[in-house]
Every structure is written in C-alpha cells, then in structure tokens.
Amino acid sequence: MSVRRSMCGIAGIMMRDGQVADSGTLKKMAAALVHRGPDGAGIFCHGTVGLLNTRLAIVDIDHGQQPFIADDGTVLVANGEIYNDPDIRESLPQAGFKSGSDCESALHLYEKYGLGFTRHLRGMYALALFDARKQALVLARDPYGIKQLYYVMTPAFFAFASEPQALIAAGLAGRSLVPRVRAEMLQLQFTTGTTTVFADIQRLLPGETLVIDNAAIVHQERRRPHTRRATRPVPLSYETAYRQLDQHLQDSVRLHMRSDAPVGLFLSGGIDSSALLTVMSRLDSRPVVALTATFPGAGSKNERSVAEALARGAGADHHCVDMAAADFFNHAPHLASALDDPTADSSALPLFLLARAARKDGLKVVLSGDGADELFGGYRRYRRAAWFFGLWRQKTRTRGVFSSLMPADSLPAWRTGLAQSEKAESVPAISAMQTLQAIDCAEWLPNNLLLKLDRCLMAHGIEGRTPFLDPVLSPFAYDLPETLKVRNGLGKWLLRDWVARNAPGSDPWSKKQGFIPPVGQWIDQYKSRIEPLLLNHPAIAELSLQAAVRRIYAAPLRHPQAAWSLLFYTLWHNRHVLGVTARGSIDEVLDAARLAA
C-alpha cells in the first residue's frame, strides 16, 4: 500500500458548558488557512467540538483527506509528516486503518498508548485529537517545534489554529499586543516562550501536549528533543562516530525524500545543505533540483560560485534565484503578511523568494539544512561557551539589535523571556556548550528559523522538511563529545569531515559565514521614500521611535538589521494590527495606512 502524505493547516474549537460549536466559525478559519492547504478542506462539527483541516497533498494525491475518525469516534486532524508510518502500521496489525495516510498512525497510537502516543512518532507534527469517550481535546506538537500550533482560551471557548491570523480572522482573538513581547521581537528578532505578541493568543511549546476538557486545560506535559542526562554519554571513537553519522544521515534523508510530488533542496554554499545534496544525489538517480538565493551586484557575500561547484559535483539541476533591491521593495509587504507570528530575521527575505521560485518550478517539497548548527555546534558562541570554565554558560544574547541605538527604557523587559529559558535549560550535568545548544533549541530554532521556514514556504503551498531534526539523527548529534563538534576554532567538525570525504566541489574547512542578505544596501536605495512613511506611521509613533528612525535611516548601511527591523515591524503592524492590505510595494502599502486613518 502506498503512503499518503499531506501537509496542511489545522484549526478547531471546543465550546464550554454544552454550547454548540459554530460551523461558520470553522469555515472562517479554513478560509484563512487556505494557502496552507489549497488541495481541499475537511470539517468535523459535532456538539461542542469542531475540527478542520486544509490539505496540501504530497503523496497519493487523490486520497488521505482529513479528519480521520476511529471506530470509537475519536477524531484526528494533523499537520505533519510521520516518517515511521510503515513501522507503526506493522506494529498495529489489528488497528483497522481506514486510509493510507501517514498521519492516521497518530490516531491508532493514541488508541493504544493514550497520551504517551507521541513518543512513538518519528516526524514533524502539530495535531489535534478529540477523544469522544472522554469528551476531551488533545493537542500535541513535535519536540523541535518544526510545526507550530496556537490557541486562545476564554470563559466561553478554547480554540486553536496553525497560524494566529486564522484565530483573528474568525473573530476568536483580538489584535492588541503585549508590549514586552513586541520589545523582545525588535531586540532579538524573534519572540520566546508561550506568550505570543498577541495578547489573546498563546503558542504550544515544542514537544508539549495539552488536554482540554470543557474548554479548559486540565493537563499539560512536555517532551524534550534531547535527553537532559544525569550522566555524560559513553565517549565514541572518532571513526565509530563518523560511521554512525553516515548511517543516521542517509537514513534521515531517505525518509525525508518520500513523496509522490517533486522534491527539491535549498542549496547554499555551506556545510549543511552540501551534506543533504550529497545524500540526496546518492538516493535518487534523477538530478536533484537545487535552488540558491543570490544577490547580484550587491557586493556582499554571494554563494553562487560555491553552490554552482557543489551542484556540478553532484550532477544537480541547479537554479539561481536572484534577489535585488527592486525585489525587496516589492515583496517585503507580502513577507510581513505571511509572518503573522513575527520574526525580523532578514534572511526570511530571500527564503520567501526561494519558496516562490520553487513553486514555479513545480516543487511541492523542499529539504532544508535548518538545525545542523544548533545540534553539531556551528555557532561561535558555542565555541566560546567553555571560556572561563563555562561561567557564561547561560548567556546567549546579551545585546539586542537596538541596544546601542536608543535608551535602554525604550524597549523594556525585552530579555525576560530569554532569561527564563536560560534558567530552565541550565542543567549541571550537561556541558556549557550543550546548555547554549539547548537554549537555542528551545527558542531560537523553533521561534525564528523553523517559524520563517514554515511561513515562507506555506505562503506558496510548499512543504519544508528538515532532515537534521530527525528524532534519531538529532540526539546523536547533540550528545557528541565537544571534541567532535569543535576543533581548531571550527564548529561542526565531524559534519565538516563527512562533507570533505563525500561532497565533490565542497570547501568544508572554511570558516562559517552567516547567510545575511544585503538588506542595508537595499534600504539605502529607497530610504528617501521609506523614511517619511515610517516617521508618520502609527506603529512608530506609538513607541516614540521617530528619533531612532532618523538616526538609523541616516546610515542604513551601518545599521542594516536595525533598519530592517523597524521597517518589518511597521509593515507587520500595518497588516496584522491595522488590518491594511499587503498588496503593493513598500511605499504603496505604508501609504495605505495613512489613507485608511
């Protein structure tokens, strides 16, 4: 039997005290999530509970519609990929599967294991189950938070959705903001913890499971993506670790390539995507379709030549996606619209255009190297963690984007959420490096990297897959001894060595260079049109940031991230707070706010 997979959007509602769920509300959420699932929608509405799914068909395109309903009446909607579905089916011969969908596995695992069912899932997911016998709703999210899930709880109802904007569109949540979280987003570029920037909306944490009864949370538990060990793992010899890496990497990529729709790769000149390209080319006789973002004429780091060499070495079908100032000016509003849970990471700009190009090329699935830095020790801060005997082990980002550009009280309490995470993730038995890795896996990875991957790709009906975050490969990488992560001032040592031995055309021993688009140069070309619109925008006036705008936009080349953060927040505020359209270029969209006022 073929495996039927689909990525999608999910949403639902549970009313309190016997009130009947409104199908009209579900339809409003479905309409708001249609970009996540343009291939069909399914709605279950019975009594106090309603669930919905909008489907992006990936495998066995004509089947696998949700919701799934078990014989006992339990109902499932899921956004995800369960890569060990064949093994689950084999282990549950009496389960009575009604479809070939990989997501249906979660339904039957719940029947057998109850709330422990997520421990048997190998994949990425955000899902909801309605237990008809207990009249309870169960929500769960994968341990790394690859897929997001948000909820609203009021005295009248509990509602959830794959994106905050669906809850707002259905009238279940308001647009008012949390000042501390807004400050956090501006300073860190992302937000942390359960509280979102919207006062009414919370997010499920990575690995969290909630049980809701009579529209109230009655139980919650959380599964970590890696073991918080009481003792250190047994050291591996170098060659044993190398062989295990080779085995885990090939196994994970093989699983992540399963699809009846075309699969591609986002290829940079870096180590992570080089490794994925190498394994993909081994596993498929057809050329791998690889896409690379380039910035012609920008004078900044350009990965075209390195990516082209890698593509030639692997025999890939390589496409360069050029992004220039005009592309930035015309597409930035659409990006801000897609990032309803905001992240001001400027690398989202080329990612958005890569996803658009992938869709035009007929791709529905794209692999990405996200997670490798966090697990194999790629960041400079990890290498510095052991300095002074690890006394700085808990500190990750001590300075924000605007720390040197405006008074400290302009964006107060911006580090509160991060400090709470640092405290929660600090366990004496793990190393200083692993502490920082754990903090990044709890916050930076799910709330910035994976969030922008999900939103930028799903805005174009593309599924993003992350083989390095596989539940088998990732704990192996996190538990590696530090000597296999860092040597001679270089991070990701073992992975670099694997690429050096296996990837023709690669240059794995060069120092890591971040993927930073020339956003300062792009803004500089349009600053005379952008600055006056920012100065007169209510988002800037509310925070009294006019002086900061003048200072930063006088020299955006010196303050590229700050210039983008201010512009991104204004565009985001335009769409998600004021409700102004995202159609048009930056100046057209910002001017629409003035006209609307």
Side-chain angles (χ1 to χ4, degrees), residues 7-9 34-38 54 56 79 147 163 355 452-464:
M7 291 301 290
C8 52
V34 69
H35 59 281
R36 298 186 68 92
T54 60
L56 173 64
N79 170 27
K147 294 290 118 183
E163 298 180 4
K452 72 182 180 183
L453 182 72
D454 176 82
R455 295 301 200 279
C456 290
L457 272 64
M458 293 306 294
H460 298 94
I462 300 288
E463 173 188 325

Side-chain angles (χ1 to χ4, degrees), residues 171-237:
L172 302 173
R175 299 176 185 270
S176 61
L177 305 183
V178 180
R180 178 192 66 79
V181 180
R182 175 178 55 196
E184 185 178 57
M185 186 275 293
L186 286 166
Q187 287 280 45
L188 290 177
Q189 306 173 38
F190 64 98
T191 65
T192 64
T194 299
T195 305
T196 73
V197 72
F198 295 106
D200 295 339
I201 301 175
Q202 306 292 302
R203 62 164 73 94
L204 239 68
L205 295 175
E208 191 170 35
T209 297
L210 300 182
V211 180
I212 299 94
D213 186 9
N214 195 28
I217 297 173
V218 296
H219 176 78
Q220 54 193 127
E221 59 186 60
R222 189 177 181 194
R223 183 160 65 95
R224 301 276 178 175
H226 42 258
T227 304
R228 293 153 65 88
R229 297 178 181 273
T231 58
R232 301 284 179 89
V234 177
L236 297 174
S237 71

Side-chain angles (χ1 to χ4, degrees), residues 356-395:
R356 178 170 172 264
R359 188 63 180 185
K360 285 185 176 181
D361 286 342
L363 297 175
K364 272 194 172 183
V365 179
V366 177
L367 271 56
S368 170
D370 289 287
D373 281 311
E374 290 73 17
L375 293 166
F376 285 90
Y379 296 129
R380 184 182 178 188
R381 57 183 174 272
Y382 299 159
R383 301 194 292 277
R384 300 163 87 180
W387 292 2
F388 300 104
F389 306 99
L391 293 177
W392 294 341
R393 62 184 290 149
Q394 295 182 9
K395 298 298 182 182

Side-chain angles (χ1 to χ4, degrees), residues 276-341:
L276 296 183
L277 174 64
T278 302
V279 180
M280 290 175 75
S281 63
R282 286 180 183 175
L283 297 174
D284 196 337
S285 59
R286 296 167 296 182
V288 176
V289 179
L291 296 93
T292 301
T294 61
F295 313 119
S300 66
K301 178 178 179 288
N302 198 323
E303 299 187 312
R304 178 191 290 266
S305 59
V306 179
E308 285 177 342
L310 289 166
R312 282 195 302 271
D317 178 11
H318 189 221
H319 304 249
C320 285
V321 180
D322 293 339
M323 185 173 188
D327 300 302
F328 155 77
F329 197 66
N330 290 318
H331 290 285
H334 302 281
L335 170 67
S337 178
L339 291 170
D340 57 338
D341 188 359

